[in-house]
Amino acid sequence: MTERIRIAIADDQAIIRDGLETVLSLVDGFEVVGTAADGAEAVALVAAERPDVVLMDLRMPILDGAAATRRVTAETPETAVLVLTTFADDADIVTALRAGARGYLTKDAGRAELAAAIRAVAAGQSTFSEPVREVLLGRIGAPAPSPTGAGELSGSVPAPLSEPALAERFPALTAREREVYALVLQGRSNAEIAAALFVGVATVKTHINALFAKLGVRDRAQAIARGLGTTSAN
């Protein structure tokens, strides 16, 4: 018998919490260990229960989902944060990824998609729903916004990086690693990257491990946050 995935749920709407708890409790291999009605409760619940995954809404009272995600990833790094929210605008996505979220789904996701995403982040992978992928794709091709001088805490969203920009910003990356990184920034899976570049999945994994090491990140979510952010290369 495979080990069960222990899940916590954080959402300020009781009907959403109850619905998710009911649905996930019926999925083989899942165990819901508790629910929270705000970000502060979510942080406390994760600290107490040490779940494998916490489903995190973004718009919550007392402590919002992004702030709660930062607390969880700093204080309980073994728990993966999977954002589950109504909103899929680029500012929310970038904020959540910077905070340390490993995945991002919108609430119109079906049970199968949600279950697959939970399994993915519990296994250390990153996952994004199709609306979020579309936002990421749009940001990759979008022109840079005019500088405003606003800092990270203001909620401003930095420009995405194209492949030529990757070469300038991360000169330590090889040409192939930049190609792979550009596709990672689009939310592509290893299989999709392999198909796009006409190489094997094992080769893609090798390039991804190398570029993660050079970027100083541990997973796709951090790599995307780095690519969408303003932090300079190491």
Side-chain angles (χ1 to χ4, degrees), residues 106-197:
T106 51
K107 286 181 178 176
D108 57 359
R111 184 174 72 169
E113 183 181 4
L114 177 58
I118 289 171
R119 293 189 182 100
V121 298
Q125 303 169 15
S126 297
T127 186
F128 307 96
S129 62
E130 189 58 35
V132 176
R133 287 191 183 204
E134 290 175 1
V135 171
L136 293 174
L137 283 168
R139 284 190 50 73
I140 297 303
S146 300
T148 62
E152 184 171 315
L153 295 179
S154 70
S156 61
V157 181
L161 292 180
S162 63
E163 194 174 330
L166 291 175
E168 180 179 353
R169 175 107 168 261
F170 303 109
L173 298 181
T174 66
R176 180 58 96 182
E177 288 165 357
R178 290 194 299 271
E179 289 180 320
V180 171
Y181 193 14
L183 293 170
V184 167
L185 288 171
Q186 295 175 17
R188 304 286 188 90
S189 67
N190 286 356
E192 290 170 334
I193 294 172
L197 299 180

Side-chain angles (χ1 to χ4, degrees):
M1 181 177 178
T2 58
E3 188 174 348
R4 298 178 70 81
I5 296 176
R6 303 175 69 250
I7 304 163
I9 299 167
D11 197 292
D12 63 336
Q13 298 183 52
I15 192 168
I16 298 294
R17 293 195 306 273
D18 294 346
L20 286 171
E21 184 173 15
T22 298
V23 167
L24 295 177
S25 296
L26 296 174
V27 177
D28 187 40
F30 286 1
E31 177 187 355
V32 177
V33 298
T35 64
D38 59 60
E41 285 187 9
V43 173
L45 174 61
V46 169
E49 295 293 340
R50 305 278 169 167
D52 301 298
V53 177
V54 55
L55 299 183
M56 187 76 74
D57 189 21
L58 289 182
R59 309 291 172 87
M60 293 188 293
I62 303 178
L63 191 68
D64 66 33
T69 295
R70 280 190 289 271
R71 290 275 304 275
V72 168
T73 54
E75 299 170 13
T76 319
E78 65 270 26
T79 296
V81 177
L82 175 59
V83 170
L84 183 64
T85 185
T86 305
F87 309 95
D89 60 83
D90 52 2
D92 283 325
I93 294 169
V94 172
T95 299
L97 293 178
R98 282 179 172 173
R102 192 172 290 168
Y104 196 116
L105 295 185
T106 51
K107 286 181 178 176
D108 57 359
R111 184 174 72 169
E113 183 181 4
L114 177 58
I118 289 171
R119 293 189 182 100
V121 298
Q125 303 169 15
S126 297
T127 186
F128 307 96
S129 62
E130 189 58 35
V132 176
R133 287 191 183 204
E134 290 175 1
V135 171
L136 293 174
L137 283 168
R139 284 190 50 73
I140 297 303
S146 300
T148 62
E152 184 171 315
L153 295 179
S154 70
S156 61
V157 181
L161 292 180
S162 63
E163 194 174 330
L166 291 175
E168 180 179 353
R169 175 107 168 261
F170 303 109
L173 298 181
T174 66
R176 180 58 96 182
E177 288 165 357
R178 290 194 299 271
E179 289 180 320
V180 171
Y181 193 14
L183 293 170
V184 167
L185 288 171
Q186 295 175 17
R188 304 286 188 90
S189 67
N190 286 356
E192 290 170 334
I193 294 172
L197 299 180
F198 302 100
V199 297
V201 173
T203 300
V204 172
K205 289 180 179 178
T206 298
H207 290 310
I208 286 178
N209 288 337
L211 73 88
F212 281 5
K214 292 177 181 179
L215 294 174
V217 300
R218 68 172 185 267
D219 57 33
R220 268 179 162 76
Q222 287 190 347
I224 291 172
R226 181 84 184 271
L228 296 178
T230 56
T231 306
S232 60
N234 291 333

